[in-house]
Amino acid sequence: MVHKTLRIIPLVALLAMSITVHADGVINRLDNQLSHIENTINGTQRTIRRSQNKYDNTQRTMTELKNGTYAEKRVERAVKNKKRRAVNSLIHRSNNAIRKATNIY
């Protein structure tokens, strides 16, 4: 009886190892699938936000055209963007000058 039990122990150990390896593979596949699903959901949400922004911009433009203020608003936005870019450029150049002076990159 002991001899039969000793013969079964390696088989049970081998079966347990096989089940563990298989379960690990299944868990990895499920993890990959979940990551793929999360990426798909995030991409869909980004697309929805972009579409909503385009719709909002179109609605604003239509309202401005209807009110006759489109050209004024367009110029205001262009000036504001130009100022913002000029300030950002100045900050960037001063940061680069400081980095060069202090040798920090």
Side-chain angles (χ1 to χ4, degrees):
M1 183 72 175
V2 174
H3 186 58
K4 284 183 181 181
T5 306
L6 290 176
R7 272 195 286 161
I8 293 176
I9 290 175
L11 291 174
V12 171
L14 184 63
L15 182 63
M17 290 283 284
S18 174
I19 289 171
T20 304
V21 169
H22 182 68
D24 192 40
V26 169
I27 289 171
N28 285 338
R29 276 195 307 245
L30 286 174
D31 191 42
N32 288 341
Q33 288 173 347
L34 279 175
S35 294
H36 179 70
I37 290 169
E38 287 173 354
N39 290 338
T40 302
I41 289 171
N42 289 338
T44 303
Q45 288 174 335
R46 275 192 305 273
T47 302
I48 290 170
R49 278 194 300 273
R50 270 189 246 125
S51 298
Q52 185 63 47
N53 285 340
K54 286 181 181 180
Y55 175 79
D56 292 344
N57 290 342
T58 302
Q59 290 298 109
R60 185 181 65 238
T61 300
M62 288 171 53
T63 303
E64 290 171 0
L65 284 170
K66 205 182 297 182
N67 295 339
T69 59
Y70 178 76
E72 297 167 17
K73 300 278 184 180
R74 186 82 176 142
V75 169
E76 284 175 18
R77 278 194 290 274
V79 168
K80 188 169 85 175
N81 286 337
K82 192 82 159 176
K83 286 179 182 177
R84 182 178 46 79
R85 282 195 296 273
V87 169
N88 286 345
S89 175
L90 182 62
I91 291 169
H92 184 67
R93 280 188 283 153
S94 66
N95 285 343
N96 282 344
I98 291 168
R99 275 194 216 106
K100 285 180 183 177
T102 57
N103 287 326
I104 299 174
Y105 289 95

